[in-house]
Short mmCIF file of all heavy atoms in Angstrom, two decimals:
data_model
loop_
_atom_site.label_atom_id
_atom_site.label_comp_id
_atom_site.label_asym_id
_atom_site.label_seq_id
_atom_site.Cartn_x
_atom_site.Cartn_y
_atom_site.Cartn_z
N LEU E 1381 197.46 296.15 190.52
CA LEU E 1381 198.68 295.95 191.31
C LEU E 1381 198.40 294.97 192.44
O LEU E 1381 199.22 294.11 192.76
CB LEU E 1381 199.16 297.28 191.89
CG LEU E 1381 199.72 298.30 190.90
CD1 LEU E 1381 200.07 299.58 191.63
CD2 LEU E 1381 200.94 297.76 190.21
N ARG E 1382 197.24 295.11 193.05
CA ARG E 1382 196.91 294.24 194.17
C ARG E 1382 196.78 292.80 193.72
O ARG E 1382 197.21 291.86 194.39
CB ARG E 1382 195.61 294.72 194.81
CG ARG E 1382 195.53 294.12 196.15
CD ARG E 1382 194.30 294.37 196.90
NE ARG E 1382 194.55 293.80 198.21
CZ ARG E 1382 194.72 294.52 199.30
NH1 ARG E 1382 194.64 295.81 199.24
NH2 ARG E 1382 194.95 293.93 200.45
N GLU E 1383 196.14 292.63 192.55
CA GLU E 1383 196.00 291.29 191.99
C GLU E 1383 197.36 290.64 191.81
O GLU E 1383 197.57 289.48 192.16
CB GLU E 1383 195.34 291.39 190.60
CG GLU E 1383 193.99 290.73 190.51
CD GLU E 1383 193.86 289.51 191.36
OE1 GLU E 1383 194.49 288.47 191.04
OE2 GLU E 1383 193.15 289.57 192.38
N LYS E 1384 198.30 291.44 191.27
CA LYS E 1384 199.65 290.90 191.04
C LYS E 1384 200.27 290.45 192.34
O LYS E 1384 200.91 289.41 192.43
CB LYS E 1384 200.54 291.98 190.40
CG LYS E 1384 200.27 292.23 188.97
CD LYS E 1384 201.47 292.88 188.27
CE LYS E 1384 200.99 293.42 186.92
NZ LYS E 1384 201.45 294.74 186.62
N ARG E 1385 200.07 291.26 193.36
CA ARG E 1385 200.66 290.92 194.65
C ARG E 1385 200.04 289.67 195.22
O ARG E 1385 200.72 288.83 195.80
CB ARG E 1385 200.48 292.08 195.64
CG ARG E 1385 201.80 292.63 196.11
CD ARG E 1385 201.73 293.79 197.04
NE ARG E 1385 200.48 294.25 197.52
CZ ARG E 1385 199.98 293.94 198.73
NH1 ARG E 1385 200.65 293.16 199.52
NH2 ARG E 1385 198.82 294.46 199.09
N ASN E 1386 198.72 289.57 195.06
CA ASN E 1386 198.05 288.39 195.59
C ASN E 1386 198.55 287.13 194.91
O ASN E 1386 198.69 286.08 195.55
CB ASN E 1386 196.52 288.50 195.39
CG ASN E 1386 195.92 289.42 196.43
OD1 ASN E 1386 196.49 289.60 197.49
ND2 ASN E 1386 194.77 289.99 196.12
N ARG E 1387 198.85 287.25 193.63
CA ARG E 1387 199.37 286.08 192.93
C ARG E 1387 200.74 285.71 193.47
O ARG E 1387 201.15 284.57 193.37
CB ARG E 1387 199.47 286.36 191.43
CG ARG E 1387 198.26 285.85 190.66
CD ARG E 1387 198.36 286.13 189.20
NE ARG E 1387 197.79 287.41 188.87
CZ ARG E 1387 198.34 288.27 188.01
NH1 ARG E 1387 199.47 287.98 187.43
NH2 ARG E 1387 197.76 289.42 187.75
N ASN E 1388 201.45 286.68 194.01
CA ASN E 1388 202.77 286.38 194.57
C ASN E 1388 202.74 285.98 196.02
O ASN E 1388 203.78 285.80 196.64
CB ASN E 1388 203.68 287.60 194.42
CG ASN E 1388 204.21 287.71 193.02
OD1 ASN E 1388 204.38 286.70 192.35
ND2 ASN E 1388 204.45 288.93 192.57
N GLY E 1389 201.54 285.91 196.56
CA GLY E 1389 201.46 285.36 197.91
C GLY E 1389 201.18 286.36 199.01
O GLY E 1389 201.49 286.11 200.16
N ALA E 1390 200.56 287.49 198.68
CA ALA E 1390 200.23 288.43 199.75
C ALA E 1390 199.14 287.84 200.62
O ALA E 1390 198.23 287.20 200.13
CB ALA E 1390 199.76 289.74 199.15
N VAL E 1391 199.24 288.07 201.90
CA VAL E 1391 198.25 287.52 202.82
C VAL E 1391 197.45 288.67 203.41
O VAL E 1391 197.99 289.60 203.97
CB VAL E 1391 198.94 286.74 203.96
CG1 VAL E 1391 197.92 285.98 204.77
CG2 VAL E 1391 199.99 285.81 203.41
N GLU E 1392 196.14 288.56 203.29
CA GLU E 1392 195.29 289.62 203.84
C GLU E 1392 194.91 289.24 205.25
O GLU E 1392 194.22 288.26 205.47
CB GLU E 1392 194.02 289.68 203.01
CG GLU E 1392 193.69 291.05 202.48
CD GLU E 1392 192.41 291.00 201.69
OE1 GLU E 1392 192.51 290.70 200.50
OE2 GLU E 1392 191.35 291.19 202.30
N LEU E 1393 195.34 290.04 206.17
CA LEU E 1393 195.09 289.66 207.56
C LEU E 1393 194.24 290.71 208.24
O LEU E 1393 194.20 291.86 207.82
CB LEU E 1393 196.42 289.53 208.30
CG LEU E 1393 197.32 288.46 207.73
CD1 LEU E 1393 198.73 288.67 208.20
CD2 LEU E 1393 196.85 287.11 208.17
N GLU E 1394 193.61 290.33 209.33
CA GLU E 1394 192.81 291.27 210.10
C GLU E 1394 193.77 292.13 210.90
O GLU E 1394 193.82 292.07 212.12
CB GLU E 1394 191.88 290.53 211.05
CG GLU E 1394 190.69 289.95 210.35
CD GLU E 1394 189.64 291.00 210.09
OE1 GLU E 1394 188.91 291.36 211.01
OE2 GLU E 1394 189.54 291.45 208.96
N GLY E 1395 194.57 292.93 210.18
CA GLY E 1395 195.59 293.69 210.87
C GLY E 1395 195.04 294.62 211.93
O GLY E 1395 195.51 294.70 213.03
N VAL E 1396 194.03 295.35 211.56
CA VAL E 1396 193.57 296.41 212.46
C VAL E 1396 193.07 295.86 213.77
O VAL E 1396 193.44 296.30 214.85
CB VAL E 1396 192.44 297.20 211.80
CG1 VAL E 1396 191.98 298.30 212.71
CG2 VAL E 1396 192.92 297.74 210.48
N GLU E 1397 192.20 294.92 213.72
CA GLU E 1397 191.50 294.52 214.94
C GLU E 1397 192.44 293.92 215.96
O GLU E 1397 192.27 294.11 217.15
CB GLU E 1397 190.39 293.53 214.59
CG GLU E 1397 189.32 294.20 213.75
CD GLU E 1397 188.01 293.46 213.85
OE1 GLU E 1397 187.87 292.46 213.17
OE2 GLU E 1397 187.16 293.88 214.65
N VAL E 1398 193.41 293.22 215.52
CA VAL E 1398 194.29 292.62 216.52
C VAL E 1398 195.31 293.62 217.02
O VAL E 1398 195.58 293.71 218.19
CB VAL E 1398 195.02 291.41 215.93
CG1 VAL E 1398 195.93 290.81 216.98
CG2 VAL E 1398 194.03 290.41 215.46
N LYS E 1399 195.87 294.37 216.10
CA LYS E 1399 196.93 295.29 216.53
C LYS E 1399 196.44 296.26 217.55
O LYS E 1399 197.08 296.49 218.56
CB LYS E 1399 197.46 296.07 215.33
CG LYS E 1399 198.46 295.30 214.50
CD LYS E 1399 199.04 296.23 213.50
CE LYS E 1399 199.54 295.55 212.27
NZ LYS E 1399 200.48 294.52 212.41
N ILE E 1400 195.35 296.89 217.24
CA ILE E 1400 194.90 297.92 218.16
C ILE E 1400 194.12 297.32 219.29
O ILE E 1400 194.02 297.88 220.35
CB ILE E 1400 194.09 298.96 217.38
CG1 ILE E 1400 194.97 299.46 216.23
CG2 ILE E 1400 193.69 300.09 218.24
CD1 ILE E 1400 194.34 300.51 215.42
N GLN E 1401 193.60 296.21 219.04
CA GLN E 1401 192.99 295.36 220.04
C GLN E 1401 191.72 295.88 220.67
O GLN E 1401 190.81 295.17 220.91
CB GLN E 1401 193.99 295.05 221.15
CG GLN E 1401 193.71 293.70 221.76
CD GLN E 1401 194.81 293.31 222.73
OE1 GLN E 1401 195.81 293.97 222.86
NE2 GLN E 1401 194.60 292.22 223.40
N MET E 1402 191.74 297.14 220.97
CA MET E 1402 190.52 297.63 221.61
C MET E 1402 189.72 298.53 220.69
O MET E 1402 188.61 298.83 220.94
CB MET E 1402 190.84 298.43 222.86
CG MET E 1402 191.53 297.62 223.89
SD MET E 1402 190.52 296.25 224.41
CE MET E 1402 191.62 295.38 225.44
N THR E 1403 190.40 298.99 219.65
CA THR E 1403 189.70 299.98 218.83
C THR E 1403 189.19 299.35 217.55
O THR E 1403 189.68 298.34 217.12
CB THR E 1403 190.68 301.10 218.45
OG1 THR E 1403 191.73 301.08 219.37
CG2 THR E 1403 189.98 302.41 218.47
N ASP E 1404 188.25 300.02 216.99
CA ASP E 1404 187.62 299.45 215.80
C ASP E 1404 188.05 300.15 214.55
O ASP E 1404 188.80 301.10 214.58
CB ASP E 1404 186.10 299.56 215.94
CG ASP E 1404 185.66 299.05 217.27
OD1 ASP E 1404 186.15 297.99 217.67
OD2 ASP E 1404 184.86 299.73 217.92
N LYS E 1405 187.57 299.67 213.45
CA LYS E 1405 187.85 300.32 212.17
C LYS E 1405 187.16 301.67 212.15
O LYS E 1405 186.29 301.94 212.94
CB LYS E 1405 187.30 299.46 211.05
CG LYS E 1405 188.03 298.16 210.93
CD LYS E 1405 187.48 297.37 209.79
CE LYS E 1405 188.19 296.02 209.76
NZ LYS E 1405 187.43 295.00 209.11
N ASP E 1406 187.59 302.46 211.19
CA ASP E 1406 187.05 303.82 211.21
C ASP E 1406 185.59 303.84 210.83
O ASP E 1406 185.14 303.11 209.96
CB ASP E 1406 187.83 304.70 210.24
CG ASP E 1406 187.78 304.14 208.84
OD1 ASP E 1406 186.85 304.48 208.10
OD2 ASP E 1406 188.65 303.34 208.50
N ASN E 1407 184.88 304.66 211.47
CA ASN E 1407 183.46 304.84 211.21
C ASN E 1407 183.19 306.31 211.37
O ASN E 1407 183.43 306.86 212.43
CB ASN E 1407 182.64 304.11 212.27
CG ASN E 1407 182.17 302.78 211.76
OD1 ASN E 1407 182.17 302.54 210.58
ND2 ASN E 1407 181.75 301.95 212.68
N ILE E 1408 182.70 306.95 210.36
CA ILE E 1408 182.39 308.37 210.53
C ILE E 1408 181.13 308.47 211.36
O ILE E 1408 181.04 309.17 212.32
CB ILE E 1408 182.17 309.06 209.18
CG1 ILE E 1408 183.42 308.91 208.33
CG2 ILE E 1408 181.87 310.52 209.40
CD1 ILE E 1408 183.27 309.53 207.00
N ASP E 1409 180.17 307.75 210.95
CA ASP E 1409 178.97 307.67 211.78
C ASP E 1409 178.32 306.34 211.49
O ASP E 1409 178.84 305.55 210.73
CB ASP E 1409 178.01 308.83 211.49
CG ASP E 1409 177.73 308.94 210.00
OD1 ASP E 1409 177.09 308.05 209.44
OD2 ASP E 1409 178.20 309.93 209.43
N ASP E 1410 177.22 306.04 212.10
CA ASP E 1410 176.71 304.68 212.04
C ASP E 1410 176.14 304.28 210.70
O ASP E 1410 175.89 303.13 210.44
CB ASP E 1410 175.63 304.49 213.11
CG ASP E 1410 176.21 304.70 214.48
OD1 ASP E 1410 177.25 304.09 214.75
OD2 ASP E 1410 175.65 305.49 215.25
N ILE E 1411 175.88 305.25 209.84
CA ILE E 1411 175.20 304.87 208.60
C ILE E 1411 176.14 304.13 207.67
O ILE E 1411 175.79 303.15 207.06
CB ILE E 1411 174.64 306.12 207.90
CG1 ILE E 1411 173.75 306.90 208.86
CG2 ILE E 1411 173.88 305.73 206.65
CD1 ILE E 1411 173.26 308.20 208.32
N ILE E 1412 177.33 304.67 207.56
CA ILE E 1412 178.27 304.06 206.62
C ILE E 1412 178.68 302.67 207.10
O ILE E 1412 179.00 302.51 208.26
CB ILE E 1412 179.49 304.97 206.47
CG1 ILE E 1412 179.03 306.28 205.84
CG2 ILE E 1412 180.56 304.32 205.64
CD1 ILE E 1412 180.13 307.18 205.45
N PRO E 1413 178.69 301.68 206.21
CA PRO E 1413 179.02 300.32 206.63
C PRO E 1413 180.45 300.24 207.15
O PRO E 1413 181.29 301.02 206.75
CB PRO E 1413 178.87 299.49 205.35
CG PRO E 1413 178.89 300.46 204.23
CD PRO E 1413 178.35 301.73 204.78
N LYS E 1414 180.65 299.29 208.03
CA LYS E 1414 181.96 299.24 208.68
C LYS E 1414 183.03 298.68 207.77
O LYS E 1414 184.19 298.65 208.09
CB LYS E 1414 181.88 298.40 209.95
CG LYS E 1414 181.59 296.96 209.66
CD LYS E 1414 181.41 296.20 210.95
CE LYS E 1414 181.12 294.74 210.61
NZ LYS E 1414 180.46 294.00 211.58
N LYS E 1415 182.68 298.24 206.59
CA LYS E 1415 183.68 297.70 205.69
C LYS E 1415 184.67 298.77 205.29
O LYS E 1415 184.35 299.93 205.17
CB LYS E 1415 182.97 297.18 204.43
CG LYS E 1415 183.76 296.14 203.67
CD LYS E 1415 182.88 295.54 202.59
CE LYS E 1415 183.61 294.45 201.83
NZ LYS E 1415 184.82 294.96 201.17
#
Side-chain angles (χ1 to χ4, degrees):
Chain E
L1381 291 177
R1382 198 185 186 110
E1383 244 326 290
K1384 285 201 194 135
R1385 242 178 5 100
N1386 282 336
R1387 264 180 271 138
N1388 281 330
V1391 190
E1392 233 181 273
L1393 299 162
E1394 283 281 282
V1396 181
E1397 294 203 280
V1398 180
K1399 280 188 206 304
I1400 305 182
Q1401 210 172 354
M1402 298 300 173
T1403 339
D1404 311 315
K1405 293 181 183 156
D1406 58 89
N1407 261 342
I1408 301 179
D1409 51 68
D1410 298 310
I1411 306 174
I1412 296 189
K1414 66 184 180 203
K1415 202 171 182 300

